[in-house]
Amino acid sequence: MQFRSIKVKIAVLSGLSVFTAVGGLLGYGVLAARNGQHFVSENVSELTREMTKQSLLGLATTQAGIIESSLNEAFDAARNMARVFETLATENAIPVLERRNQLNAVLLKVLQDNPQFNGTYSAWEPNALDGLDGSYHNNKKAGSDSTGRFLPYWTRGANGSIDIQPLVEYDSHDLHPNGVMKGGWYIGPQNGGNESILDPLPYIVQGKNVYLATMSVPVTVDGRFMGVAGADFDLAFVQKLAEQVKASLYDGKASVEIISYKGLIVASSEHPELVGRSLDKTDGTLTALLPTIQGGRKEALADGTVFRALAPITLGRTRTPWSVLIEVPTDVALAQAEKLNAALVQRNVSDGWMQATVGFFVLSAGVIAMWFVSRSISTPIGAMTAAMQRLADGNLQTDVPERERVDEIGKMAAAVQIFKENGLRALALEQEAEENRHSTEQERVRVAVLDQKRAEEMQNATTHLANGLKKVAGGDLTFRFNDAFAPDFEGLRSDFNAAVEQLRNAMNAVADATGAIDGGSKELNQAANDLSRRTEQQAAALEETAAALDEITVNVANSAKRTEEARSVAHRANRSAVQSAEVVSHAEEAMTKIEESSQQISNIISVIDEIAFQTNLLALNAGVEAARAGDAGKGFAVVAQEVRELAQRAATAAREIKGLIQNSSVEVESGVKLVRDAGEALKTIGEFIVEMNSHMESIATSAQEQSTGLAEVNQAVNSMDQTTQQNAAMVEQSNAASNSLALEAAKLRDLVDRFKLDGATNQAVALRDTARAMKAPSVQVGSVVRARNTARKPAVANAGFTAENWEEF
């Protein structure tokens, strides 16, 4: 689309922009509101689901805790009865004839003290309790059937009366129609040794049909299974609890069930008639929850139609947990969330119409405002366009309008004014640039001529300097630069000539010093050779004398040392004999005291044995009294049993210690006799050692005097030998130094002869011949001295000279 007027263009485009912006905002607002409503609806629904699951899970956990505490109370009572029965069944606890009466008294007392129990019972293996099963055939009042076994079952009737009857089906492996073993309450602990709870079974107790939870605890004596003790809990309270929870949830629209380990219904708020039957009788899909129930796990589930929460019920020390199951239909749980979602939809529709009305008014006002804005912009731009056209045609004297404005139009006018001024300035610069170009060309030609001349002078100086350095490198120190260099390089020529002159003078001085060193080294070498021969003869004779005297001194010193060591050993043996006699005396006294202490300890052990016996009797009586006390004495019965066991162990340990002490007394008497015999033998040995020590004293004194005299003579000879050897070494070092000096002088002369010097003589060949002649005999003399010194034997410690001193010198 083509616009002939910028005013129309601005008005139309701005109107379209406003329309687009308003339409986009309205569309975004409607879409955002719809997305927000959808997001809120989804999150509220999801949050409601999670809160419902957590709420149901917490409620199920609470109810599981209530049921668990009630059932575990029965387990605690059964466990305490089992521990008391174990104590009463041990040997000498109570008379055998009283055991059945005592156990029945405990069962009756526990039932009376726990009204929530439906019954208490105990079942024992044949003749396990008292060995009197043959005397109790069909004695129902004592709790025995035709076998005579102790099988009492104390029950509470509907009117609260308590009666006793023998247990039945305790050894039955038959299964009830719901799959529960009838005798599982006895057979389970008998085979596995663990506590057990039997799944709900209908029992006829005193003429009424009730569902009971049967909890059994094994009775063991010395690790052997003797029977069980247990209690029955009427599950009616569980059914009542499930109905109460249902009434408090979602206006009674939820359901509560308690499920056993094998998947049997313990209680059901919806189908109480199905108690004791399989879980799939209410809903076939619930069988999938059985692994979670048997694993004792807590879990909350939602499948779109119903919410389910499972919480485990841990029963005593069994491995067969039960579980509480709470179910709520999804539409019931999410009713509030759906109501909130409908309200949000209605609110979004009304908000959309309100946004459309406001957008229409905003669009109309924006188009009108853009029309006036476009008019205010287009007028000054037209005037500016005309002025710019005149400037483009080359009329630089044209006035630029609107320069006094402070907005963008004013800035545009200022920019056009700058274009005008730059055009005028460009004409002046073009003329000045032509003049500068001509002068620059002349300066460039002059600089090029000067650079060429300086390069030629530098090349000439470099060539001459290279030739001079080749002469010096070849050893010619008489070379000089006589021809002048360019003025800029004249200093380089004079510095080179001065350096060569100083080097030539230094080499002349070195040549003169080399001749003087050569003459002195010849004289020094001749004197050193004469002194070396005389010192060699003296050292050989003195060394033979010192070696012989060393051997004599060493032998005498060794004899004196051995004698002194023998005397010292004799002294120590004498002291040891005296000390041993004293130790034997003390040991004899200590053995007597040990014998007396053993007798006292034996008396104390007898007292401890009597105390342990009395403690055992008191603990036994305490266990019996605790059994009679019922719940109040459960804990004390266990403590009494532990005290009795400790007393028995203490008595056994006392008897063993008493026997050990008696054996120890016999051994102590034998030890006393042996110690006395050892003391007499040590006294005899001490007398012989004293006599031998007297003789060794005389021998040691004489040997010490001989060693002292020989050591003084040996020291004097070794001192002379040391001085001679030092002189020989000094001669050898002097001879070596003169030879080295001669060789260094020859090397120095060779270096000087490489240079061409004024008036110098070359003597390098003569110096080398002289050095070879002086070197051979010196090396031979040094070798002889070192060989003889190595052959000498080392002197004794007090001679004052060692091989290490010689090498260091």
Side-chain angles (χ1 to χ4, degrees):
M1 180 183 294
Q2 297 292 331
F3 294 96
R4 294 184 177 274
S5 172
I6 192 172
K7 178 172 62 177
V8 176
K9 184 176 182 180
I10 291 174
V12 172
L13 294 180
S14 60
L16 292 175
S17 298
V18 172
F19 177 78
T20 303
V22 172
L25 290 174
L26 288 174
Y28 175 76
V30 173
L31 181 61
R34 183 177 298 173
N35 290 337
Q37 179 268 329
H38 182 67
F39 177 77
V40 170
S41 177
E42 285 185 351
N43 281 273
V44 168
S45 178
E46 184 63 26
L47 181 60
T48 303
R49 290 174 181 273
E50 290 299 324
M51 292 179 64
T52 300
K53 290 196 293 185
Q54 295 302 321
S55 176
L56 292 177
L57 189 60
L59 182 60
T61 302
T62 301
Q63 302 308 315
I66 294 173
I67 298 172
E68 181 177 314
S69 63
S70 298
L71 296 180
N72 281 339
E73 185 177 355
F75 260 119
D76 291 338
R79 197 175 298 117
N80 290 332
M81 288 191 297
R83 300 292 85 83
V84 172
F85 292 171
E86 290 172 355
T87 302
L88 297 178
T90 56
E91 185 179 358
N92 299 326
I94 58 176
V96 175
L97 297 177
E98 295 295 327
R99 290 183 182 178
R100 301 201 181 205
N101 293 333
Q102 291 290 344
L103 268 61
N104 274 324
V106 172
L107 292 171
L108 176 59
K109 182 63 175 176
V110 173
L111 182 59
Q112 291 173 344
D113 292 342
N114 295 277
Q116 72 276 19
F117 291 177
N118 194 79
T120 56
Y121 62 89
S122 181
W124 288 69
E125 292 282 274
N127 289 316
L129 177 60
D130 51 13
L132 301 176
D133 289 355
S135 302
Y136 287 92
H137 291 301
N138 294 318
N139 191 345
K140 297 182 178 181
K141 292 300 181 180
S144 298
D145 59 4
S146 60
T147 63
R149 293 168 61 176
F150 187 60
L151 306 167
Y153 182 29
W154 291 87
T155 61
R156 179 182 284 111
N159 57 357
S161 62
I162 296 178
D163 195 6
I164 185 174
Q165 64 187 46
L167 292 166
V168 296
E169 297 181 336
Y170 48 84
D171 56 356
S172 175
H173 289 78
D174 296 337
L175 300 180
H176 192 270
N178 61 4
V180 179
M181 183 187 297
K182 293 181 179 181
W185 56 271
Y186 184 83
I187 297 174
Q190 182 185 37
N191 294 335
N194 295 320
E195 297 178 358
S196 71
I197 182 169
L198 204 62
D199 286 12
L201 281 178
Y203 286 93
I204 298 177
V205 180
Q206 294 189 16
K208 66 175 182 177
N209 191 12
V210 293
Y211 276 92
L212 301 177
T214 302
M215 287 154 280
S216 300
V217 176
V219 177
T220 58
V221 177
D222 296 331
R224 185 166 60 91
F225 176 79
M226 305 296 288
V228 299
D232 285 341
F233 209 104
D234 193 344
L235 295 178
F237 93 97
V238 181
Q239 177 64 32
K240 184 177 179 180
L241 182 63
E243 294 173 354
Q244 291 175 352
V245 174
K246 169 184 170 61
S248 63
L249 290 177
Y250 299 98
D251 298 329
K253 297 178 181 179
S255 63
V256 181
E257 292 180 336
I258 288 82
I259 314 300
S260 71
Y261 180 80
K262 292 186 176 181
L264 301 182
I265 299 175
V266 179
S268 174
S269 63
E270 296 297 316
H271 305 283
E273 71 280 359
L274 297 180
V275 172
R277 302 182 65 180
S278 179
L279 180 64
D280 57 6
K281 299 297 181 181
T282 59
D283 186 351
T285 61
L286 295 181
T287 55
L289 301 177
L290 193 57
T292 303
I293 295 173
Q294 294 177 345
R297 297 191 299 273
K298 182 190 300 184
E299 190 170 4
L301 305 170
D303 59 3
T305 60
V306 66
F307 287 97
R308 291 190 177 97
L310 281 169
I313 303 173
T314 303
L315 302 171
R317 298 171 185 172
T318 67
R319 300 175 184 176
T320 56
W322 292 2
S323 186
V324 174
L325 172 63
I326 299 179
E327 295 183 336
V328 180
T330 302
D331 55 351
V332 173
L334 301 181
Q336 293 295 330
E338 295 297 335
K339 184 177 179 181
L340 177 61
N341 186 37
L344 288 174
V345 172
Q346 183 63 31
R347 181 64 178 271
N348 285 337
V349 172
S350 61
D351 289 345
W353 284 109
M354 181 61 70
Q355 289 177 357
T357 303
V358 173
F360 176 76
F361 284 109
V362 171
L363 175 62
S364 301
V367 171
I368 295 172
M370 287 299 103
W371 173 263
F372 287 104
V373 171
S374 63
R375 183 178 179 183
S376 64
I377 295 174
S378 61
T379 300
I381 289 178
M384 186 64 63
T385 300
M388 293 175 66
Q389 185 64 41
R390 290 192 295 272
L391 290 174
D393 293 338
N395 185 7
L396 300 179
Q397 302 302 322
T398 300
D399 291 334
V400 179
E402 306 293 343
R403 286 183 295 172
E404 67 279 0
R405 295 174 65 118
V406 295
D407 55 4
E408 284 78 3
I409 301 298
K411 293 179 181 179
M412 185 184 298
V416 173
Q417 180 66 27
I418 292 173
F419 290 155
K420 174 184 173 181
E421 294 174 356
N422 288 339
L424 295 174
R425 191 178 295 110
L427 292 176
L429 290 176
E430 185 177 355
Q431 296 175 359
E432 184 180 356
E434 183 63 24
E435 295 176 358
N436 291 336
R437 186 182 62 78
H438 181 69
S439 61
T440 301
E441 181 64 22
Q442 293 179 349
E443 180 66 18
R444 186 186 63 78
V445 173
R446 186 182 67 81
V447 171
V449 173
L450 292 177
D451 290 342
Q452 183 177 3
K453 180 179 179 182
R454 183 175 180 80
E456 291 175 355
E457 292 175 352
M458 182 180 291
Q459 178 66 29
N460 183 40
T462 303
T463 302
H464 284 79
L465 185 61
N467 293 333
L469 290 174
K470 288 181 180 179
K471 293 287 187 179
V472 173
D476 186 4
L477 299 181
T478 61
F479 178 80
R480 292 177 59 83
F481 287 121
N482 297 319
D483 296 334
F485 287 0
D488 292 339
F489 302 99
E490 182 63 22
L492 183 63
R493 183 182 71 85
S494 61
D495 291 342
F496 178 83
N497 290 337
V500 173
E501 180 67 21
Q502 290 183 4
L503 182 60
R504 183 170 60 252
N505 294 336
M507 296 306 296
N508 284 329
V510 170
D512 294 339
T514 302
I517 292 172
D518 182 32
S521 63
K522 289 180 180 179
E523 295 176 359
L524 182 62
N525 187 40
Q526 183 63 36
N529 287 334
D530 294 340
L531 180 60
S532 176
R533 283 192 298 272
R534 290 193 297 272
T535 303
E536 176 187 355
Q537 296 173 358
Q538 182 182 1
L542 188 59
E543 185 173 10
E544 293 176 357
T545 302
L549 188 57
D550 282 344
E551 293 179 358
I552 296 172
T553 302
V554 170
N555 292 331
V556 173
N558 288 336
S559 298
K561 182 177 179 182
R562 298 294 180 271
T563 304
E564 183 66 24
E565 291 177 352
R567 184 179 63 179
S568 177
V569 171
H571 277 298
R572 289 198 299 270
N574 188 22
R575 286 197 300 270
S576 297
V578 174
Q579 292 175 358
S580 299
E582 294 177 355
V583 170
V584 169
S585 177
H586 293 321
E588 184 178 354
E589 295 175 359
M591 296 291 281
T592 303
K593 292 179 180 179
I594 291 172
E595 185 177 9
E596 295 175 356
S597 299
S598 298
Q599 184 63 34
Q600 294 176 358
I601 293 172
S602 179
N603 295 334
I604 293 172
I605 294 301
S606 298
V607 175
I608 293 174
D609 190 13
E610 294 177 1
I611 292 173
F613 178 74
Q614 294 296 331
T615 303
N616 187 17
L617 292 179
L618 291 175
L620 179 61
N621 293 333
V624 174
E625 294 299 328
R628 292 176 180 175
D631 287 342
K634 294 176 183 177
F636 189 71
V638 177
V639 174
Q641 176 63 21
E642 294 296 329
V643 171
R644 185 183 175 205
E645 292 179 358
L646 290 175
Q648 290 177 349
R649 289 199 296 271
T652 302
R655 287 193 295 271
E656 293 176 356
I657 294 172
K658 187 174 182 180
L660 293 175
I661 290 175
Q662 291 176 351
N663 294 334
S664 176
S665 297
V666 176
E667 297 297 332
V668 168
E669 292 178 358
S670 176
V672 170
K673 182 178 183 303
L674 293 176
V675 168
R676 289 173 182 170
D677 294 342
E680 295 296 330
L682 286 174
K683 289 181 181 179
T684 304
I685 293 172
E687 294 174 357
F688 290 136
I689 291 175
V690 169
E691 183 178 357
M692 183 179 63
N693 186 38
S694 177
H695 296 299
M696 294 299 297
E697 187 75 25
S698 300
I699 297 172
T701 302
S702 177
Q704 184 66 32
E705 292 176 355
Q706 295 177 7
S707 176
T708 301
L710 287 174
E712 293 176 354
V713 175
N714 187 36
Q715 183 176 4
V717 174
N718 282 330
S719 177
M720 295 173 60
D721 183 36
Q722 179 181 4
T723 303
T724 303
Q725 295 295 339
Q726 290 175 351
N727 291 338
M730 185 180 299
V731 170
E732 182 181 356
Q733 289 183 349
S734 299
N735 196 3
S738 63
N739 289 335
S740 176
L741 184 62
L743 292 176
E744 294 299 326
K747 292 180 182 179
L748 187 59
R749 176 62 65 185
D750 289 340
L751 293 175
V752 173
D753 288 344
R754 295 179 185 178
F755 297 96
K756 182 180 179 183
L757 304 173
D758 294 336
T761 60
N762 191 346
Q763 300 176 352
V765 176
L767 288 174
R768 284 194 297 269
D769 295 341
T770 301
R772 293 192 186 96
M774 294 169 64
K775 181 177 180 181
S778 175
V779 172
Q780 182 178 3
V781 171
S783 300
V784 171
V785 173
R786 284 194 297 271
R788 290 179 177 177
N789 180 63
T790 303
R792 291 183 69 247
K793 296 183 180 180
V796 294
N798 59 356
F801 178 76
T802 62
E804 291 182 357
N805 300 128
W806 168 254
E807 294 296 335
E808 182 179 359
F809 177 80

